[in-house]
Amino acid sequence: TINDVVLAMSSGALRSYLTNFSALPEESLVAMVPISLHDRFESGGDNAVGTLMCHLGTNLPDPIDRLGTIRDCMRQGKDSLRSMTPMQVLAMSALGAAPAGAAMYFGRNPLPRPPFNVVISNVAGPGAPLFWNGARLDAMHPLSVPIHGQALNITCTSNDDMVSFGVTACRRSVPDAESFPARLSTELAALENAFGI
């Protein structure tokens, strides 16, 4: 899926970034990935969102292997969600995000570390061009909030046939965060090259 590719680009960018600082862990990083549940539950117009924990395969040097790991992990997570009631999905998502939510509420993290290292969101935008007073909307730039214990957030959104990434980071914990856009582009090129595109 497009979301799998977004996660694979992010995984490769994280791997490249951490390798540059000699800080790449031996085990894969895990992303908390918000996912839409509109196709699963009637929400009455409200947001229907759950979360999955996705192994990013940052321990794997090959971009195709990383994409395969992400695809399999997301597929298994979505299959699990399909077997749950809306209340079970809400409870599972809340448990995974509770430490992050507590950090936002209390200004510090009174709970154990969350089961993820980074939040990566892919927000679907309009599939056709939008206009306002005759002016075409050319780009949408996503922005999120890093919270205590989560010094980096990667969010992307689509607009017509374009996808834009927003990288929000704590500059003390994530120096050189401005290198992420170039790293994301490099990873997309690596995936295209691996698949002969």
Side-chain angles (χ1 to χ4, degrees), residues 89-161:
V89 171
L90 179 64
M92 186 196 75
S93 297
L95 281 173
M104 287 192 310
Y105 183 78
F106 294 109
R108 58 186 171 75
N109 200 345
L111 299 175
R113 268 197 71 67
F116 55 92
N117 307 104
V118 62
V119 177
I120 303 176
S121 304
N122 179 9
V123 182
L130 294 181
F131 296 84
W132 186 65
N133 285 342
R136 180 182 169 128
L137 175 67
D138 287 328
M140 295 173 65
H141 300 282
L143 176 66
S144 193
V145 180
I147 58 175
H148 185 74
Q150 295 297 307
L152 176 69
N153 180 294
I154 301 172
T155 301
C156 74
T157 190
S158 58
N159 173 43
D160 193 10
D161 62 351

Side-chain angles (χ1 to χ4, degrees), residues 8 11-12 15 56-69 187 190-191 194-195:
S11 168
R15 178 183 168 82
L56 294 173
T58 50
N59 56 325
L60 304 171
D62 187 272
I64 293 179
D65 291 343
R66 289 194 298 270
L67 179 61
T69 296
E187 290 309 312
L191 285 166
F195 285 101

Side-chain angles (χ1 to χ4, degrees), residues 3-151:
N3 197 51
D4 293 343
V5 173
V6 164
L7 290 168
M9 290 171 64
S10 301
S11 168
L14 287 163
R15 178 183 168 82
S16 166
Y17 175 84
L18 292 168
T19 299
N20 189 56
F21 285 91
S22 300
L24 181 67
E26 290 183 14
E27 293 185 15
S28 173
L29 294 182
V30 176
M32 182 181 82
V33 183
I35 60 163
S36 172
L37 300 174
H38 281 290
D39 62 340
R40 174 86 165 76
F41 306 124
E42 289 297 325
S43 63
D46 296 330
N47 286 334
V49 178
T51 60
L52 291 178
M53 302 303 152
C54 179
H55 287 268
L56 294 173
T58 50
N59 56 325
L60 304 171
D62 187 272
I64 293 179
D65 291 343
R66 289 194 298 270
L67 179 61
T69 296
I70 289 164
R71 180 202 59 217
D72 293 346
C73 191
M74 291 299 289
R75 185 179 292 155
Q76 290 169 7
K78 289 174 184 176
D79 288 346
S80 293
L81 287 182
R82 285 189 192 95
S83 68
M84 296 180 189
T85 66
M87 189 57 70
Q88 289 171 323
V89 171
L90 179 64
M92 186 196 75
S93 297
L95 281 173
M104 287 192 310
Y105 183 78
F106 294 109
R108 58 186 171 75
N109 200 345
L111 299 175
R113 268 197 71 67
F116 55 92
N117 307 104
V118 62
V119 177
I120 303 176
S121 304
N122 179 9
V123 182
L130 294 181
F131 296 84
W132 186 65
N133 285 342
R136 180 182 169 128
L137 175 67
D138 287 328
M140 295 173 65
H141 300 282
L143 176 66
S144 193
V145 180
I147 58 175
H148 185 74
Q150 295 297 307

